[in-house]
Amino acid sequence: MKLVSRSQWGARAYRTPNGATPYGRARRGVKLHYLGTAYSDRPHEQCAAYVRQLQAQHMDGNGWSDIGYSFVVCTHGYVYEGRGLKRRNSANGNTTLNDQDYAVCLLVGSSGLTKPTSAQLNGARDAIEYCRKSGPAGTWLGGHRDGYATACPGDTVYAWVKAGAPRPATTKPTPTPPKEDDVTPYELWAYKGKGEKRDAYAYLRDTEAKVDALADKVAGLEQRPLTDDQIAAIAAAVAAHPALAQAIADTLATRLKD
Ligand SMILES: [Zn+2]
Ligand SMILES: [Zn+2]
């Protein structure tokens, strides 16, 4: 689990005595939450600042003693320690509900980014297992909306948690990109030198045996003008093959998008 401790994300100290309230009884399980506001994905470098902002909102806006959640999971799969283990959360709706289950919030919104990433589902699963093992917590799983009138955690996260919060299927391994050495310096020189007469597609067909993974990706090049999706696919393909990248990028920029 990629756990980010309170000191690592720069949490403020909680207010006592409420922020230090321990759980009064065994936890039944874990409830999931979402933000319920607009959220847009961001680079991971900005996630800690977002969690600090959530804490400030809960402490200064809601008047709570700390961030409400036990844990917060960013789209990159990191698990931020909120109240953490052993301490009662304040996210589930009322004291009884807060005492009953841990509260894990996924950074997804009700608009903007509304579907959790695979990394995030893995992170949420990590947090659930951590609560079960070290909390401890029982095996019950659900959402904020269980027993409380709210749309939280949104339909997507709710359906996932009620299905038992399975880890997402691992994606198929991507094929190994062709090696740069497979294209000879002569071929590169020939292509650049004959740029006026030969387009990128013909060049790639000529070298298909060596860079067939790349050629597959640009099969749509015969259609012109290219769509934005095709251009993006080509860009991804050439990025996997550094020696070709500049030559093809030059051609794409000047000739193919007509
Ligand atoms: Zn909630
Ligand atoms: Zn992140």
Side-chain angles (χ1 to χ4, degrees):
M1 178 169 71
K2 296 184 288 188
L3 182 67
V4 183
S5 69
R6 289 175 67 89
S7 61
Q8 284 172 326
W9 61 264
R12 284 160 56 182
Y14 54 78
R15 288 192 281 260
T16 55
N18 286 354
T21 307
Y23 278 104
R25 52 188 161 99
R27 268 70 64 213
R28 174 181 65 165
V30 178
K31 274 186 179 172
L32 296 194
H33 296 258
Y34 75 159
L35 294 166
T37 56
Y39 183 73
S40 55
D41 203 7
R42 61 205 66 219
H44 182 60
E45 295 72 48
Q46 295 174 21
C47 290
Y50 193 87
V51 177
R52 290 195 295 273
Q53 182 189 315
L54 273 180
Q55 186 191 28
Q57 211 174 300
H58 289 179
M59 293 181 76
D60 304 333
N62 301 3
W64 297 348
S65 58
D66 194 358
I67 188 169
Y69 307 113
S70 308
F71 295 95
V72 175
V73 185
C74 77
T75 55
H76 314 96
Y78 288 78
V79 178
Y80 291 79
E81 180 187 29
R83 303 228 185 166
L85 302 173
K86 317 292 185 193
R87 291 169 53 211
R88 189 173 69 201
N89 70 78
S90 60
N92 290 341
N94 60 47
T95 302
T96 304
L97 296 174
N98 294 340
D99 212 26
Q100 184 168 254
D101 300 297
Y102 280 109
V104 173
C105 181
L106 279 66
L107 293 185
V108 294
S110 49
S111 63
L113 181 88
T114 59
K115 298 210 186 319
T117 65
S118 291
Q120 196 168 26
L121 294 180
N122 273 313
R125 180 76 209 181
D126 291 340
I128 289 166
E129 289 175 3
Y130 185 55
C131 289
R132 285 179 177 175
K133 182 163 177 279
S134 307
T139 56
W140 187 90
L141 288 177
H144 190 177
R145 66 172 70 170
D146 288 312
Y148 193 80
T150 173
C152 184
D155 292 343
T156 306
V157 173
Y158 188 69
W160 177 73
V161 74
K162 294 314 275 186
R167 289 198 184 272
T170 48
T171 49
K172 291 178 218 152
T174 49
T176 311
K179 294 194 187 89
E180 191 169 344
D181 288 347
D182 291 344
V183 177
T184 67
Y186 172 76
E187 285 171 319
L188 280 176
W189 172 84
Y191 170 63
K192 285 196 168 182
K194 296 178 183 175
E196 295 302 314
K197 295 175 185 171
R198 303 170 67 195
D199 64 19
Y201 182 69
Y203 174 74
L204 291 168
R205 291 295 298 266
D206 288 347
T207 58
E208 199 169 14
K210 294 170 186 164
V211 292
D212 51 355
L214 183 52
D216 283 347
K217 291 184 177 175
V218 297
L221 262 173
E222 281 176 320
Q223 302 163 21
R224 299 183 193 193
L226 298 176
T227 66
D228 288 344
D229 283 349
Q230 286 171 320
I231 292 170
I234 293 162
V238 298
H241 201 290
L244 290 178
Q246 191 56 51
I248 294 174
D250 290 344
T251 301
L252 288 176
T254 57
R255 299 180 59 211
L256 294 179
K257 191 179 181 183
D258 52 21

